[in-house]
Amino acid sequence: MSIKLNIEPINLPGVSTDRPLVIAGPCSAESEKQVMDTAFDLANQGIKIYRAGIWKPRTRPNAFEGVGSKGLPWLKKVKEETGMYTATEVANVKHVYEALKFGVDILWIGARTTANPFAVQEIADTLRGMDIPIFIKNPVNPDIELWIGALERINDAGITRLAAIHRGFSSYDKSVYRNNPHWQIPIELRRRIPNLPIIIDPSHIAGRRDLIQDISQRAMDLNFDGLIIESHCNPDEAWSDAKQQVTPNALACILNRLVLRHADVDNKDSLTLEELRTQIDKFDDEILDIFEKRMQIAEQIGTFKKEHNITILQTGRWDTILNKRMAMGNLKGLSNDFVEKIFSAIHQESINHQTKIMNDGISEDMNSDKH
Ligand code: PEP
Ligand code: MN
């Protein structure tokens, strides 16, 4: 079921409507010089929208929490001297008023704020009656409803120039990504709200600059609308997110290397081939996870059988399993042949895992009467 939001094009005069919409700039505004140097370099590369965090949500106190309002005149200067549009993160009512006072053109709501409906509602109430593009980052946790809820709150306040920013999701598991992209979530967002522009944030997904190219390409192959990429005149010296920022030059290379493919269908409501493949990847990953869990149980059974001196193979049990699975498979439109092959392979793998458990320590035990 798709959700009806009242969405109008972002429409920034002078900014091309071709994909991708590009937003670039440092994670944080640090000094007037850093803001201006980066801005001039980006403007020279053809960038039209400049991002810079003024207030930074930091996990621990005493980290650099942004320069605060004193950085806003620098953004105003960027606008005046380069002609770029400016964008910054707002997390509360004061931020909104301050940013607007200095002519910031686009406001975004950060991942931590999107996760808090009270904060989003307060920002929505403040924005009522204004005409400014608002970009909403996904919440830190992989909860699409929370993301949609924030979009609805802002849209209900009369903001129609809306976009979503996908910056990946925080996860306890170790992974190469700083924030797991879980591509199926923005794809689902696209399915639920087909006319909502979705901008990908490869910097915060990756957490490291060498992954930005691939993630940006993936974003384009999945037919998303834009990219927001952190760029700094001297990335290694950045006061926040140093590892994931690129120089304006490197950014230009990344953008030039992007291959823009056509969606294989004209209808934006339909999923593209790449989107469908992402869904297949997700299911295949899930299948492997389930196999892993199934084998862990098989090993527990192995331990039990070892302790109770029971043989691994009990033919009656295997026949019952296979018949049950084939009947279930039939109901799901899967052929007997397929179900039998799959479950024979699973059964064999389970036996291998159990055998390994049964044999653990057996070499020292060679002369015992257990086998
Ligand atoms: C940022 O864009 O610098 C930022 C803090 O992002 P997020 O809210 O995605 O963590
Ligand atoms: Mn950042």
Side-chain angles (χ1 to χ4, degrees), residues 26-28 51-53 55-58 89 108-113 137-138 140 165-168 178-179 201 204 228 230 240-241 244:
C27 177
S28 305
R51 63 148 286 157
W55 302 279
K56 300 304 298 177
R58 304 314 298 274
E89 171 175 348
W108 84 79
I109 296 181
R112 293 154 195 82
T113 309
K137 288 198 164 196
N138 60 266
V140 276
I165 299 179
H166 171 48
R167 48 78 81 198
R178 177 177 177 195
N179 291 293
D201 179 342
H204 289 90
I228 177 166
E230 288 187 337
S240 60
D241 289 352
Q244 69 190 35

PDB file of all heavy atoms in Angstrom, residues 26-28 51-53 55-58 89 108-113 137-138 140 165-168 178-179 201 204 228 230 240-241 244, ligand 1:
ATOM      1  N   PRO A  26      31.856  19.853   4.038  1.00  0.00           N
ATOM      2  CA  PRO A  26      32.469  19.175   5.179  1.00  0.00           C
ATOM      3  C   PRO A  26      31.436  18.630   6.161  1.00  0.00           C
ATOM      4  O   PRO A  26      30.309  19.136   6.237  1.00  0.00           O
ATOM      5  CB  PRO A  26      33.281  20.291   5.839  1.00  0.00           C
ATOM      6  CG  PRO A  26      32.601  21.557   5.435  1.00  0.00           C
ATOM      7  CD  PRO A  26      32.039  21.311   4.075  1.00  0.00           C
ATOM      8  N   CYS A  27      31.866  17.622   6.911  1.00  0.00           N
ATOM      9  CA  CYS A  27      31.019  17.122   7.987  1.00  0.00           C
ATOM     10  C   CYS A  27      30.650  18.312   8.870  1.00  0.00           C
ATOM     11  O   CYS A  27      29.484  18.571   9.113  1.00  0.00           O
ATOM     12  CB  CYS A  27      31.773  16.067   8.782  1.00  0.00           C
ATOM     13  SG  CYS A  27      30.866  15.446  10.192  1.00  0.00           S
ATOM     14  N   SER A  28      31.693  19.063   9.303  1.00  0.00           N
ATOM     15  CA  SER A  28      31.461  20.197  10.195  1.00  0.00           C
ATOM     16  C   SER A  28      32.108  21.462   9.650  1.00  0.00           C
ATOM     17  O   SER A  28      33.208  21.402   9.085  1.00  0.00           O
ATOM     18  CB  SER A  28      32.109  19.952  11.560  1.00  0.00           C
ATOM     19  OG  SER A  28      31.667  18.756  12.119  1.00  0.00           O
ATOM     20  N   ARG A  51      26.957  21.535   1.969  1.00  0.00           N
ATOM     21  CA  ARG A  51      26.555  21.108   3.305  1.00  0.00           C
ATOM     22  C   ARG A  51      27.658  21.437   4.298  1.00  0.00           C
ATOM     23  O   ARG A  51      28.847  21.408   3.960  1.00  0.00           O
ATOM     24  CB  ARG A  51      26.268  19.611   3.376  1.00  0.00           C
ATOM     25  CG  ARG A  51      27.454  18.713   3.090  1.00  0.00           C
ATOM     26  CD  ARG A  51      27.411  17.392   3.859  1.00  0.00           C
ATOM     27  NE  ARG A  51      27.725  17.576   5.273  1.00  0.00           N
ATOM     28  CZ  ARG A  51      27.347  16.753   6.225  1.00  0.00           C
ATOM     29  NH1 ARG A  51      26.631  15.684   5.946  1.00  0.00           N
ATOM     30  NH2 ARG A  51      27.685  16.976   7.485  1.00  0.00           N
ATOM     31  N   ALA A  52      27.273  21.731   5.544  1.00  0.00           N
ATOM     32  CA  ALA A  52      28.250  21.840   6.634  1.00  0.00           C
ATOM     33  C   ALA A  52      27.474  21.764   7.939  1.00  0.00           C
ATOM     34  O   ALA A  52      26.463  22.454   8.108  1.00  0.00           O
ATOM     35  CB  ALA A  52      29.023  23.151   6.562  1.00  0.00           C
ATOM     36  N   GLY A  53      27.930  20.891   8.837  1.00  0.00           N
ATOM     37  CA  GLY A  53      27.275  20.778  10.140  1.00  0.00           C
ATOM     38  C   GLY A  53      27.723  21.930  11.038  1.00  0.00           C
ATOM     39  O   GLY A  53      28.920  22.193  11.175  1.00  0.00           O
ATOM     40  N   TRP A  55      25.863  22.426  14.194  1.00  0.00           N
ATOM     41  CA  TRP A  55      25.667  21.790  15.507  1.00  0.00           C
ATOM     42  C   TRP A  55      25.843  20.300  15.277  1.00  0.00           C
ATOM     43  O   TRP A  55      25.142  19.700  14.456  1.00  0.00           O
ATOM     44  CB  TRP A  55      24.253  22.075  16.029  1.00  0.00           C
ATOM     45  CG  TRP A  55      23.973  23.543  16.159  1.00  0.00           C
ATOM     46  CD1 TRP A  55      24.347  24.368  17.175  1.00  0.00           C
ATOM     47  CD2 TRP A  55      23.255  24.382  15.214  1.00  0.00           C
ATOM     48  NE1 TRP A  55      23.919  25.656  16.941  1.00  0.00           N
ATOM     49  CE2 TRP A  55      23.243  25.691  15.749  1.00  0.00           C
ATOM     50  CE3 TRP A  55      22.626  24.154  13.988  1.00  0.00           C
ATOM     51  CZ2 TRP A  55      22.620  26.756  15.105  1.00  0.00           C
ATOM     52  CZ3 TRP A  55      22.011  25.205  13.337  1.00  0.00           C
ATOM     53  CH2 TRP A  55      22.011  26.497  13.881  1.00  0.00           C
ATOM     54  N   LYS A  56      26.800  19.685  15.981  1.00  0.00           N
ATOM     55  CA  LYS A  56      27.108  18.281  15.723  1.00  0.00           C
ATOM     56  C   LYS A  56      26.631  17.394  16.861  1.00  0.00           C
ATOM     57  O   LYS A  56      27.035  17.583  18.009  1.00  0.00           O
ATOM     58  CB  LYS A  56      28.625  18.090  15.576  1.00  0.00           C
ATOM     59  CG  LYS A  56      29.259  18.869  14.446  1.00  0.00           C
ATOM     60  CD  LYS A  56      28.637  18.572  13.097  1.00  0.00           C
ATOM     61  CE  LYS A  56      28.784  17.148  12.654  1.00  0.00           C
ATOM     62  NZ  LYS A  56      28.099  16.911  11.352  1.00  0.00           N
ATOM     63  N   PRO A  57      25.786  16.412  16.555  1.00  0.00           N
ATOM     64  CA  PRO A  57      25.365  15.465  17.598  1.00  0.00           C
ATOM     65  C   PRO A  57      26.491  14.477  17.844  1.00  0.00           C
ATOM     66  O   PRO A  57      26.844  13.710  16.967  1.00  0.00           O
ATOM     67  CB  PRO A  57      24.168  14.760  16.927  1.00  0.00           C
ATOM     68  CG  PRO A  57      24.445  14.831  15.450  1.00  0.00           C
ATOM     69  CD  PRO A  57      25.307  16.031  15.220  1.00  0.00           C
ATOM     70  N   ARG A  58      27.129  14.514  18.973  1.00  0.00           N
ATOM     71  CA  ARG A  58      28.250  13.607  19.233  1.00  0.00           C
ATOM     72  C   ARG A  58      27.869  12.585  20.281  1.00  0.00           C
ATOM     73  O   ARG A  58      27.158  12.882  21.243  1.00  0.00           O
ATOM     74  CB  ARG A  58      29.489  14.390  19.679  1.00  0.00           C
ATOM     75  CG  ARG A  58      29.921  15.467  18.688  1.00  0.00           C
ATOM     76  CD  ARG A  58      29.959  15.003  17.226  1.00  0.00           C
ATOM     77  NE  ARG A  58      30.899  13.929  16.992  1.00  0.00           N
ATOM     78  CZ  ARG A  58      32.191  14.126  16.735  1.00  0.00           C
ATOM     79  NH1 ARG A  58      32.666  15.345  16.657  1.00  0.00           N
ATOM     80  NH2 ARG A  58      32.985  13.108  16.550  1.00  0.00           N
ATOM     81  N   GLU A  89      22.297  20.791   9.391  1.00  0.00           N
ATOM     82  CA  GLU A  89      21.433  19.951  10.230  1.00  0.00           C
ATOM     83  C   GLU A  89      20.799  20.775  11.338  1.00  0.00           C
ATOM     84  O   GLU A  89      21.471  21.589  11.977  1.00  0.00           O
ATOM     85  CB  GLU A  89      22.271  18.820  10.859  1.00  0.00           C
ATOM     86  CG  GLU A  89      21.498  18.032  11.922  1.00  0.00           C
ATOM     87  CD  GLU A  89      22.236  16.830  12.475  1.00  0.00           C
ATOM     88  OE1 GLU A  89      23.275  16.430  11.903  1.00  0.00           O
ATOM     89  OE2 GLU A  89      21.753  16.287  13.493  1.00  0.00           O
ATOM     90  N   TRP A 108      18.367  19.831   7.158  1.00  0.00           N
ATOM     91  CA  TRP A 108      18.133  18.393   7.283  1.00  0.00           C
ATOM     92  C   TRP A 108      18.018  17.999   8.735  1.00  0.00           C
ATOM     93  O   TRP A 108      18.567  18.656   9.617  1.00  0.00           O
ATOM     94  CB  TRP A 108      19.169  17.568   6.514  1.00  0.00           C
ATOM     95  CG  TRP A 108      20.474  17.285   7.198  1.00  0.00           C
ATOM     96  CD1 TRP A 108      20.723  16.342   8.144  1.00  0.00           C
ATOM     97  CD2 TRP A 108      21.743  17.939   6.951  1.00  0.00           C
ATOM     98  NE1 TRP A 108      22.055  16.371   8.507  1.00  0.00           N
ATOM     99  CE2 TRP A 108      22.699  17.325   7.785  1.00  0.00           C
ATOM    100  CE3 TRP A 108      22.154  18.966   6.092  1.00  0.00           C
ATOM    101  CZ2 TRP A 108      24.039  17.728   7.799  1.00  0.00           C
ATOM    102  CZ3 TRP A 108      23.482  19.347   6.110  1.00  0.00           C
ATOM    103  CH2 TRP A 108      24.411  18.737   6.954  1.00  0.00           C
ATOM    104  N   ILE A 109      17.238  16.953   8.940  1.00  0.00           N
ATOM    105  CA  ILE A 109      17.046  16.405  10.283  1.00  0.00           C
ATOM    106  C   ILE A 109      17.942  15.182  10.388  1.00  0.00           C
ATOM    107  O   ILE A 109      17.889  14.297   9.532  1.00  0.00           O
ATOM    108  CB  ILE A 109      15.556  16.065  10.503  1.00  0.00           C
ATOM    109  CG1 ILE A 109      14.738  17.367  10.456  1.00  0.00           C
ATOM    110  CG2 ILE A 109      15.338  15.321  11.821  1.00  0.00           C
ATOM    111  CD1 ILE A 109      13.250  17.198  10.676  1.00  0.00           C
ATOM    112  N   GLY A 110      18.793  15.149  11.390  1.00  0.00           N
ATOM    113  CA  GLY A 110      19.802  14.084  11.511  1.00  0.00           C
ATOM    114  C   GLY A 110      19.198  12.782  12.026  1.00  0.00           C
ATOM    115  O   GLY A 110      18.069  12.746  12.530  1.00  0.00           O
ATOM    116  N   ALA A 111      20.000  11.729  11.890  1.00  0.00           N
ATOM    117  CA  ALA A 111      19.536  10.382  12.206  1.00  0.00           C
ATOM    118  C   ALA A 111      19.074  10.247  13.664  1.00  0.00           C
ATOM    119  O   ALA A 111      18.080   9.581  13.956  1.00  0.00           O
ATOM    120  CB  ALA A 111      20.661   9.399  11.922  1.00  0.00           C
ATOM    121  N   ARG A 112      19.800  10.891  14.571  1.00  0.00           N
ATOM    122  CA  ARG A 112      19.433  10.757  15.980  1.00  0.00           C
ATOM    123  C   ARG A 112      18.135  11.487  16.280  1.00  0.00           C
ATOM    124  O   ARG A 112      17.346  11.084  17.134  1.00  0.00           O
ATOM    125  CB  ARG A 112      20.567  11.264  16.872  1.00  0.00           C
ATOM    126  CG  ARG A 112      21.797  10.390  16.792  1.00  0.00           C
ATOM    127  CD  ARG A 112      23.073  11.128  17.120  1.00  0.00           C
ATOM    128  NE  ARG A 112      24.235  10.369  16.696  1.00  0.00           N
ATOM    129  CZ  ARG A 112      24.696  10.362  15.439  1.00  0.00           C
ATOM    130  NH1 ARG A 112      24.087  11.070  14.498  1.00  0.00           N
ATOM    131  NH2 ARG A 112      25.735   9.629  15.113  1.00  0.00           N
ATOM    132  N   THR A 113      17.911  12.585  15.570  1.00  0.00           N
ATOM    133  CA  THR A 113      16.681  13.356  15.798  1.00  0.00           C
ATOM    134  C   THR A 113      15.472  12.641  15.192  1.00  0.00           C
ATOM    135  O   THR A 113      14.391  12.617  15.795  1.00  0.00           O
ATOM    136  CB  THR A 113      16.841  14.774  15.203  1.00  0.00           C
ATOM    137  OG1 THR A 113      18.072  15.321  15.690  1.00  0.00           O
ATOM    138  CG2 THR A 113      15.688  15.676  15.598  1.00  0.00           C
ATOM    139  N   LYS A 137      16.904  12.429   7.372  1.00  0.00           N
ATOM    140  CA  LYS A 137      17.754  11.236   7.415  1.00  0.00           C
ATOM    141  C   LYS A 137      17.007  10.097   8.087  1.00  0.00           C
ATOM    142  O   LYS A 137      16.137  10.321   8.942  1.00  0.00           O
ATOM    143  CB  LYS A 137      19.037  11.543   8.182  1.00  0.00           C
ATOM    144  CG  LYS A 137      19.986  12.443   7.395  1.00  0.00           C
ATOM    145  CD  LYS A 137      21.391  12.367   7.969  1.00  0.00           C
ATOM    146  CE  LYS A 137      22.400  12.933   6.982  1.00  0.00           C
ATOM    147  NZ  LYS A 137      23.770  12.532   7.337  1.00  0.00           N
ATOM    148  N   ASN A 138      17.385   8.864   7.711  1.00  0.00           N
ATOM    149  CA  ASN A 138      16.742   7.726   8.380  1.00  0.00           C
ATOM    150  C   ASN A 138      17.146   7.720   9.854  1.00  0.00           C
ATOM    151  O   ASN A 138      18.209   8.233  10.208  1.00  0.00           O
ATOM    152  CB  ASN A 138      17.134   6.399   7.714  1.00  0.00           C
ATOM    153  CG  ASN A 138      18.612   6.113   7.734  1.00  0.00           C
ATOM    154  OD1 ASN A 138      19.312   6.428   6.798  1.00  0.00           O
ATOM    155  ND2 ASN A 138      19.098   5.538   8.835  1.00  0.00           N
ATOM    156  N   VAL A 140      18.639   6.167  13.335  1.00  0.00           N
ATOM    157  CA  VAL A 140      19.809   5.311  13.492  1.00  0.00           C
ATOM    158  C   VAL A 140      19.449   3.822  13.475  1.00  0.00           C
ATOM    159  O   VAL A 140      20.226   3.004  12.994  1.00  0.00           O
ATOM    160  CB  VAL A 140      20.598   5.614  14.790  1.00  0.00           C
ATOM    161  CG1 VAL A 140      21.553   6.765  14.597  1.00  0.00           C
ATOM    162  CG2 VAL A 140      19.687   5.898  15.953  1.00  0.00           C
ATOM    163  N   ILE A 165      17.011  11.142   3.262  1.00  0.00           N
ATOM    164  CA  ILE A 165      18.437  10.813   3.107  1.00  0.00           C
ATOM    165  C   ILE A 165      18.686   9.464   3.771  1.00  0.00           C
ATOM    166  O   ILE A 165      18.383   9.274   4.957  1.00  0.00           O
ATOM    167  CB  ILE A 165      19.367  11.874   3.751  1.00  0.00           C
ATOM    168  CG1 ILE A 165      19.174  13.240   3.087  1.00  0.00           C
ATOM    169  CG2 ILE A 165      20.824  11.434   3.646  1.00  0.00           C
ATOM    170  CD1 ILE A 165      20.041  14.359   3.689  1.00  0.00           C
ATOM    171  N   HIS A 166      19.251   8.553   2.986  1.00  0.00           N
ATOM    172  CA  HIS A 166      19.581   7.230   3.512  1.00  0.00           C
ATOM    173  C   HIS A 166      21.053   7.231   3.923  1.00  0.00           C
ATOM    174  O   HIS A 166      21.926   7.362   3.062  1.00  0.00           O
ATOM    175  CB  HIS A 166      19.307   6.186   2.422  1.00  0.00           C
ATOM    176  CG  HIS A 166      19.809   4.834   2.757  1.00  0.00           C
ATOM    177  ND1 HIS A 166      19.578   4.240   3.981  1.00  0.00           N
ATOM    178  CD2 HIS A 166      20.558   3.953   2.060  1.00  0.00           C
ATOM    179  CE1 HIS A 166      20.160   3.055   4.011  1.00  0.00           C
ATOM    180  NE2 HIS A 166      20.761   2.858   2.863  1.00  0.00           N
ATOM    181  N   ARG A 167      21.331   7.081   5.234  1.00  0.00           N
ATOM    182  CA  ARG A 167      22.716   7.142   5.733  1.00  0.00           C
ATOM    183  C   ARG A 167      23.108   5.846   6.448  1.00  0.00           C
ATOM    184  O   ARG A 167      24.090   5.791   7.173  1.00  0.00           O
ATOM    185  CB  ARG A 167      22.918   8.378   6.632  1.00  0.00           C
ATOM    186  CG  ARG A 167      21.870   8.591   7.682  1.00  0.00           C
ATOM    187  CD  ARG A 167      22.000   7.722   8.898  1.00  0.00           C
ATOM    188  NE  ARG A 167      22.971   8.226   9.828  1.00  0.00           N
ATOM    189  CZ  ARG A 167      23.533   7.503  10.791  1.00  0.00           C
ATOM    190  NH1 ARG A 167      23.174   6.225  10.970  1.00  0.00           N
ATOM    191  NH2 ARG A 167      24.413   8.031  11.610  1.00  0.00           N
ATOM    192  N   GLY A 168      22.295   4.779   6.175  1.00  0.00           N
ATOM    193  CA  GLY A 168      22.620   3.495   6.776  1.00  0.00           C
ATOM    194  C   GLY A 168      22.176   3.432   8.225  1.00  0.00           C
ATOM    195  O   GLY A 168      21.759   4.439   8.817  1.00  0.00           O
ATOM    196  N   ARG A 178      30.315   1.581   8.376  1.00  0.00           N
ATOM    197  CA  ARG A 178      30.061   2.244   9.655  1.00  0.00           C
ATOM    198  C   ARG A 178      28.570   2.103   9.994  1.00  0.00           C
ATOM    199  O   ARG A 178      28.192   1.872  11.137  1.00  0.00           O
ATOM    200  CB  ARG A 178      30.437   3.720   9.533  1.00  0.00           C
ATOM    201  CG  ARG A 178      30.147   4.530  10.772  1.00  0.00           C
ATOM    202  CD  ARG A 178      30.622   5.965  10.579  1.00  0.00           C
ATOM    203  NE  ARG A 178      30.293   6.785  11.727  1.00  0.00           N
ATOM    204  CZ  ARG A 178      30.326   8.106  11.713  1.00  0.00           C
ATOM    205  NH1 ARG A 178      30.682   8.763  10.620  1.00  0.00           N
ATOM    206  NH2 ARG A 178      30.012   8.803  12.783  1.00  0.00           N
ATOM    207  N   ASN A 179      27.746   2.254   8.973  1.00  0.00           N
ATOM    208  CA  ASN A 179      26.298   2.089   9.146  1.00  0.00           C
ATOM    209  C   ASN A 179      25.789   1.200   8.023  1.00  0.00           C
ATOM    210  O   ASN A 179      25.932   1.524   6.848  1.00  0.00           O
ATOM    211  CB  ASN A 179      25.601   3.451   9.109  1.00  0.00           C
ATOM    212  CG  ASN A 179      25.933   4.277  10.338  1.00  0.00           C
ATOM    213  OD1 ASN A 179      25.544   3.920  11.448  1.00  0.00           O
ATOM    214  ND2 ASN A 179      26.689   5.352  10.155  1.00  0.00           N
ATOM    215  N   ASP A 201      23.662   8.777   1.313  1.00  0.00           N
ATOM    216  CA  ASP A 201      24.790   9.396   2.023  1.00  0.00           C
ATOM    217  C   ASP A 201      25.927   8.353   2.140  1.00  0.00           C
ATOM    218  O   ASP A 201      26.067   7.696   3.181  1.00  0.00           O
ATOM    219  CB  ASP A 201      24.290   9.841   3.409  1.00  0.00           C
ATOM    220  CG  ASP A 201      25.365  10.493   4.273  1.00  0.00           C
ATOM    221  OD1 ASP A 201      26.564  10.315   3.991  1.00  0.00           O
ATOM    222  OD2 ASP A 201      24.990  11.162   5.249  1.00  0.00           O
ATOM    223  N   HIS A 204      28.421   8.504   5.381  1.00  0.00           N
ATOM    224  CA  HIS A 204      28.043   7.944   6.685  1.00  0.00           C
ATOM    225  C   HIS A 204      27.740   6.453   6.613  1.00  0.00           C
ATOM    226  O   HIS A 204      27.871   5.759   7.622  1.00  0.00           O
ATOM    227  CB  HIS A 204      26.876   8.731   7.295  1.00  0.00           C
ATOM    228  CG  HIS A 204      27.317  10.090   7.754  1.00  0.00           C
ATOM    229  ND1 HIS A 204      27.276  11.187   6.927  1.00  0.00           N
ATOM    230  CD2 HIS A 204      27.875  10.519   8.919  1.00  0.00           C
ATOM    231  CE1 HIS A 204      27.765  12.240   7.568  1.00  0.00           C
ATOM    232  NE2 HIS A 204      28.143  11.863   8.780  1.00  0.00           N
ATOM    233  N   ILE A 228      24.726  12.705  -1.070  1.00  0.00           N
ATOM    234  CA  ILE A 228      25.284  13.724  -0.181  1.00  0.00           C
ATOM    235  C   ILE A 228      26.622  13.160   0.298  1.00  0.00           C
ATOM    236  O   ILE A 228      26.678  12.085   0.893  1.00  0.00           O
ATOM    237  CB  ILE A 228      24.309  14.110   0.962  1.00  0.00           C
ATOM    238  CG1 ILE A 228      24.968  15.111   1.905  1.00  0.00           C
ATOM    239  CG2 ILE A 228      23.782  12.914   1.736  1.00  0.00           C
ATOM    240  CD1 ILE A 228      23.968  15.801   2.860  1.00  0.00           C
ATOM    241  N   GLU A 230      30.523  13.866   2.048  1.00  0.00           N
ATOM    242  CA  GLU A 230      31.326  14.790   2.855  1.00  0.00           C
ATOM    243  C   GLU A 230      32.650  15.100   2.167  1.00  0.00           C
ATOM    244  O   GLU A 230      33.394  14.189   1.790  1.00  0.00           O
ATOM    245  CB  GLU A 230      31.562  14.203   4.246  1.00  0.00           C
ATOM    246  CG  GLU A 230      30.276  14.246   5.064  1.00  0.00           C
ATOM    247  CD  GLU A 230      30.444  13.843   6.513  1.00  0.00           C
ATOM    248  OE1 GLU A 230      31.405  13.115   6.838  1.00  0.00           O
ATOM    249  OE2 GLU A 230      29.609  14.265   7.333  1.00  0.00           O
ATOM    250  N   SER A 240      35.841  16.296  12.612  1.00  0.00           N
ATOM    251  CA  SER A 240      34.878  15.192  12.799  1.00  0.00           C
ATOM    252  C   SER A 240      34.852  14.378  11.511  1.00  0.00           C
ATOM    253  O   SER A 240      35.061  14.913  10.423  1.00  0.00           O
ATOM    254  CB  SER A 240      33.479  15.738  13.118  1.00  0.00           C
ATOM    255  OG  SER A 240      33.005  16.565  12.068  1.00  0.00           O
ATOM    256  N   ASP A 241      34.623  13.084  11.655  1.00  0.00           N
ATOM    257  CA  ASP A 241      34.494  12.165  10.510  1.00  0.00           C
ATOM    258  C   ASP A 241      35.638  12.290   9.495  1.00  0.00           C
ATOM    259  O   ASP A 241      35.405  12.237   8.267  1.00  0.00           O
ATOM    260  CB  ASP A 241      33.135  12.388   9.816  1.00  0.00           C
ATOM    261  CG  ASP A 241      31.973  11.878  10.671  1.00  0.00           C
ATOM    262  OD1 ASP A 241      32.235  11.225  11.702  1.00  0.00           O
ATOM    263  OD2 ASP A 241      30.813  12.136  10.302  1.00  0.00           O
ATOM    264  N   GLN A 244      36.130   9.576   6.560  1.00  0.00           N
ATOM    265  CA  GLN A 244      35.144   9.387   5.490  1.00  0.00           C
ATOM    266  C   GLN A 244      35.018  10.595   4.574  1.00  0.00           C
ATOM    267  O   GLN A 244      34.166  10.608   3.689  1.00  0.00           O
ATOM    268  CB  GLN A 244      33.776   9.033   6.099  1.00  0.00           C
ATOM    269  CG  GLN A 244      33.133  10.180   6.854  1.00  0.00           C
ATOM    270  CD  GLN A 244      31.910   9.754   7.643  1.00  0.00           C
ATOM    271  OE1 GLN A 244      31.862   8.656   8.167  1.00  0.00           O
ATOM    272  NE2 GLN A 244      30.900  10.609   7.715  1.00  0.00           N
TER     273      GLN A 244
HETATM  274  C1  PEP B   1      26.174  14.437   9.336  1.00  0.00           C
HETATM  275  O1  PEP B   1      25.560  14.476   8.262  1.00  0.00           O
HETATM  276  O2  PEP B   1      27.297  14.918   9.516  1.00  0.00           O
HETATM  277  C2  PEP B   1      25.580  13.673  10.447  1.00  0.00           C
HETATM  278  C3  PEP B   1      25.830  13.926  11.712  1.00  0.00           C
HETATM  279  O3  PEP B   1      24.835  12.689   9.993  1.00  0.00           O
HETATM  280  P1  PEP B   1      23.882  11.565  10.700  1.00  0.00           P
HETATM  281  O4  PEP B   1      22.741  12.304  11.310  1.00  0.00           O
HETATM  282  O5  PEP B   1      23.500  10.751   9.507  1.00  0.00           O
HETATM  283  O6  PEP B   1      24.738  10.802  11.669  1.00  0.00           O
END
